Amino acid sequence: MRGMGNMQGMMKQMQKMQKKMAQAQEELGEKRIEGTAGGGMVKVIVSGHKEVLEVQIDEEVVDPEDIEMLQDLVLAATNEALKQAEELSSQTMGQFTKGLNLPGF
């Protein structure tokens, strides 16, 4: 019967960890991360869940003769924001998987 007490304790710990993970995921989704390009002339804001929320383009960078440059700036700002969001996600959620060696985490 002793093994059952240990199992119940472990299940309670798992439930606590699941609750903390869900809370961390929710808080992560509320974070706003900004990526910029062109000296701040293009800004992309993403959530901690890596969703693009906003794109701001300074009108000075809009040149109908050079659309490719604008596209490159938007792409660079988006990739920067997504990279920062990924790093934040890894830091936030990594605390729950430290030492577990789980694939995909």
Side-chain angles (χ1 to χ4, degrees):
M1 286 288 188
R2 259 190 162 151
M4 292 300 285
N6 286 340
M7 184 64 96
Q8 286 177 331
M10 195 169 17
M11 291 300 290
K12 283 183 181 182
Q13 284 182 322
M14 289 294 288
Q15 288 172 339
K16 279 184 182 180
M17 189 169 92
Q18 282 181 320
K19 189 174 182 178
K20 286 181 180 181
M21 284 177 68
Q23 183 178 2
Q25 277 280 36
E26 186 176 325
E27 290 172 2
L28 195 57
E30 294 172 3
K31 300 280 184 187
R32 301 293 176 259
I33 300 102
E34 181 180 293
T36 62
M41 296 181 90
V42 175
K43 294 180 186 174
V44 175
I45 299 173
V46 299
S47 74
H49 288 158
K50 301 173 207 134
E51 298 171 317
V52 176
L53 302 173
E54 193 175 330
V55 177
Q56 300 173 4
I57 301 172
D58 191 310
E59 64 183 55
E60 291 177 36
V61 79
V62 180
D63 179 359
E65 302 294 317
D66 194 2
I67 297 298
E68 284 184 29
M69 181 189 67
L70 179 58
Q71 291 170 335
D72 289 344
L73 290 173
V74 170
L75 187 61
T78 301
N79 285 333
E80 179 188 332
L82 290 174
K83 180 181 175 197
Q84 290 179 41
E86 178 63 34
E87 290 170 0
L88 179 63
S89 179
S90 291
Q91 290 172 356
T92 302
M93 300 311 291
Q95 65 185 330
F96 298 106
T97 57
K98 257 190 267 184
L100 294 180
N101 200 16
L102 299 173
F105 287 96

